[in-house]
Amino acid sequence: MTELEQVGERWDYAPAPESREIVQLQQRYGHYIGGRWLDATETYTTIAPASEEPLAEVGQGTAAEVDAAVVAAREAFPVWGALRPAERAKYLFRIARILQERSRELAVLESLNGGKPIKESRDVDLPLAAAHFFYYAGWADKLEYAFPNSTPRPLGVAGQIIPWNFPLLMLSWKIAPALAAGNTVVLKPAETTPLTALFFCDVLRQAELPPGVVNIVTGDGRTGAALVEHPGIDKVAFTGSTEVGKAIQRQLAGTGKRLTLELGGKAANVVFDDCALDQAVEGIVNGIYFNQGHVCCAGSRLLLQESIAEQVVDKLKRRLGTLRVGDPLDKNTDVGAINSAQQLAKIRELVASGEEEGAEIFQPECRLPEKGYWFAPTVFTNVAQSYRIAQEEIFGPVLSVLTFRTPEEAVEKANNTAYGLSAGVWTEKGSRILWMAERLRAGVVWANTFNRFDPASPFGGYRESGFGREGGLHGLAPYLELGE
């Protein structure tokens, strides 16, 4: 009997772990305010979701510490805002180059603290983070050309709150345009994934960014609330849940502060019978199982034309059987750990509701690790529009399959949600792509692909997915006063 016959027909992947030795964590982190580290009066422990291993003690920002950060940013603003735009651009270029040079460290830390596969951190998050700083460095001295017939001026101090699904990338989406426009920043990372933001402070040190231009205060929702409410903040940028976004909007109503919100989504991935089926299946998998489904624009609703529905579902189930779930630091891993126990509980609760309402669940055979937070890639068929799994954002590796007969029905079903962040269309007909894109109420519509991002392309949503845009020239406008 040959060795291959002994192991059967399955070809197993040998473990390919990325070394943790490249990242040196401190036992305790404070807040980065005014270009230096300040000890935190309160702390909490951040963990690795794949193993529940404690990683570091991190500061729980108080109102006084938020105030110190805002004061530092306010003091730095007159100098930074008056700096020659070409000089500001140099700092952004430096930051981008350092992100590239230290990308391996940052990718390991991102996967360790967030649970996402290392190949995603390495090949998606880090290159895009650096690209955003390069892109906005290029615009820093061209603002009058970007916004003709106006005199662009910075707003002042930007308070920025980012989520846990793309910690470093969201940081770059927010800090890069703010600095290019001449603003100073106080940023609060998500409480479960603060480590790459704290590591970014060393990038700022290397780039010799003037003190106070970027300040980072860690903590939970209480820290974020103190930042939003602070009278020294001129503009608030928030990415996160729709519920919190609504609360922030109510809080800021009538204050005169600028606000942009990038909130939840329930994207429809619409597949027509004339598409390239195997390509579409790969796009479906990328659309929902990328980053464990922790993506606001995830294609969590799959709309299949009836004539190909059974064929696509069969292909999709076979493809799910090849996905590797496990250690985020293993280069072979396709689906990593769920970010937190709280998020895992939410996913389980919504999946249970889908089964109770009558949907048919499919999960491939896979052995989940005993420690950590894990959920197998999941597909629901026989889903009705009224089911919670078809209406509520699950933010996990769970796909709901619905069917349609005509393009008009597809549009009606795709738009039948409170959200409007993204959508996908799979067809060989260019005219159909344009017809669908015109009618889909989504800020981003991908054609024969999904989850593709570029710093020059604006991103944002409608309705309960928020307002304002990030990326491109549209991402600069919220940080500028465009007076005559």
Side-chain angles (χ1 to χ4, degrees):
M1 183 179 290
T2 66
E3 183 179 349
L4 179 58
E5 288 172 330
Q6 289 176 344
V7 298
E9 294 183 359
R10 178 180 173 188
W11 289 64
D12 288 325
Y13 285 77
E18 174 62 89
S19 173
R20 285 183 53 174
E21 300 298 320
I22 194 170
V23 175
Q24 300 298 320
L25 289 173
Q26 300 177 27
Q27 290 185 345
R28 183 185 176 106
Y29 289 89
H31 307 293
Y32 188 74
I33 298 174
R36 59 192 182 95
W37 291 101
L38 297 182
D39 289 337
T41 54
E42 302 176 25
T43 63
Y44 68 95
T45 302
T46 188
I47 67 170
S51 62
E52 302 178 60
E53 163 200 356
L55 295 175
E57 291 291 315
V58 179
Q60 167 58 49
T62 64
E65 289 160 341
V66 169
D67 179 68
V70 175
V71 168
R74 180 62 62 191
E75 290 176 351
F77 172 65
V79 176
W80 180 253
L83 197 64
R84 265 195 337 120
E87 291 298 314
R88 289 203 301 267
K90 290 180 183 178
Y91 286 106
L92 270 71
F93 271 117
R94 286 182 198 169
I95 292 170
R97 290 299 301 273
I98 295 167
L99 287 176
Q100 288 181 321
E101 291 164 4
R102 305 186 69 174
S103 62
R104 189 178 172 202
E105 295 171 81
L106 284 158
V108 170
L109 191 56
E110 196 80 321
S111 291
L112 185 64
N113 197 199
K116 66 175 61 188
I118 185 68
K119 64 182 180 182
E120 294 179 5
S121 300
R122 177 195 65 199
D123 299 339
V124 179
D125 293 36
L126 263 298
L128 267 177
H132 274 79
F133 278 99
F134 277 128
Y135 176 77
Y136 284 111
W139 276 118
D141 62 346
K142 304 174 186 66
L143 297 179
E144 293 186 0
Y145 299 94
F147 303 98
N149 302 316
S150 64
T151 305
R153 295 184 298 273
L155 297 176
V157 178
Q160 302 177 331
I161 302 171
I162 59 174
W164 44 260
N165 55 340
F166 294 95
L168 189 66
L169 183 55
M170 292 295 100
L171 175 150
S172 302
W173 276 27
K174 289 188 166 45
I175 290 181
L179 297 191
N183 301 277
T184 54
V185 168
V186 179
L187 180 132
K188 189 202 86 69
E191 61 268 31
T192 60
T193 55
L195 293 183
T196 44
L198 294 169
F199 192 97
F200 181 74
C201 299
D202 197 53
V203 173
L204 299 178
R205 177 196 61 79
Q206 277 188 268
E208 299 180 351
L209 192 74
V213 174
V214 172
N215 308 271
I216 294 180
V217 180
T218 56
D220 59 18
R222 293 169 292 172
T223 308
L227 182 59
V228 168
E229 296 167 4
H230 198 287
I233 294 293
D234 300 294
K235 186 257 189 297
V236 173
F238 172 79
T239 297
S241 72
T242 297
E243 292 72 21
V244 175
K246 289 179 177 179
I248 291 174
Q249 189 172 12
R250 286 192 295 268
Q251 179 69 36
L252 297 187
T255 65
K257 293 180 182 179
R258 296 281 191 90
L259 174 64
T260 51
L261 298 173
E262 198 266 282
L263 308 176
K266 195 68 179 175
N269 217 351
V270 184
V271 180
F272 287 93
D273 58 7
D274 66 332
C275 74
L277 283 185
D278 291 327
Q279 178 186 346
V281 169
E282 291 305 307
I284 294 163
V285 169
N286 177 57
I288 183 59
Y289 303 115
F290 174 71
N291 197 29
Q292 299 78 255
H294 296 336
V295 185
C296 52
C297 55
S300 55
R301 291 183 299 146
L302 176 60
L303 271 61
L304 299 176
Q305 197 154 18
E306 280 188 3
S307 57
I308 58 166
E310 185 176 345
Q311 185 181 6
V312 173
V313 169
D314 287 344
K315 283 178 175 285
L316 182 60
K317 288 179 178 180
R318 285 197 298 272
R319 182 67 177 90
L320 258 61
T322 69
L323 295 180
R324 297 174 295 276
V325 182
D327 181 7
L329 291 182
D330 191 322
K331 301 182 189 75
N332 295 320
T333 295
D334 297 304
V335 180
I338 302 302
N339 182 261
S340 66
Q342 180 182 8
Q343 184 60 30
L344 180 58
K346 177 185 176 184
I347 294 169
R348 285 174 171 166
E349 190 263 331
L350 281 166
V351 166
S353 78
E355 293 184 272
E356 290 168 5
E357 288 182 306
E360 183 179 331
I361 188 172
F362 171 83
Q363 293 176 322
E365 292 185 13
C366 62
R367 182 180 299 172
L368 300 179
E370 294 181 3
K371 281 191 173 182
Y373 313 125
W374 306 92
F375 200 85
T378 302
V379 174
F380 275 109
T381 51
N382 298 324
V383 177
Q385 283 282 111
S386 59
Y387 291 179
R388 289 180 63 195
I389 56 173
Q391 292 293 327
E392 297 183 27
E393 185 178 38
I394 301 175
F395 223 62
V398 181
L399 179 65
S400 298
V401 180
L402 302 96
T403 60
F404 66 93
R405 293 181 179 177
T406 65
E408 291 79 8
E409 184 184 359
V411 168
E412 185 177 352
K413 286 188 172 181
N415 289 340
N416 186 15
T417 174
Y419 300 103
L421 189 56
S422 63
V425 179
W426 298 83
T427 176
E428 291 295 291
K429 295 179 180 176
S431 59
R432 180 176 286 166
I433 290 170
L434 296 174
W435 189 92
M436 291 289 293
E438 184 180 5
R439 289 161 177 78
L440 289 169
R441 289 294 293 166
V444 177
V445 179
W446 286 291
N448 294 323
T449 188
F450 209 91
N451 277 339
R452 299 296 178 185
F453 299 96
D454 187 279
S457 178
F459 180 86
Y462 298 101
R463 296 185 287 187
E464 293 200 5
S465 289
F467 52 83
R469 294 293 182 265
E470 294 183 297
L473 287 180
H474 299 73
L476 274 171
Y479 292 96
L480 290 167
E481 189 71 54
L482 299 175
E484 293 296 330

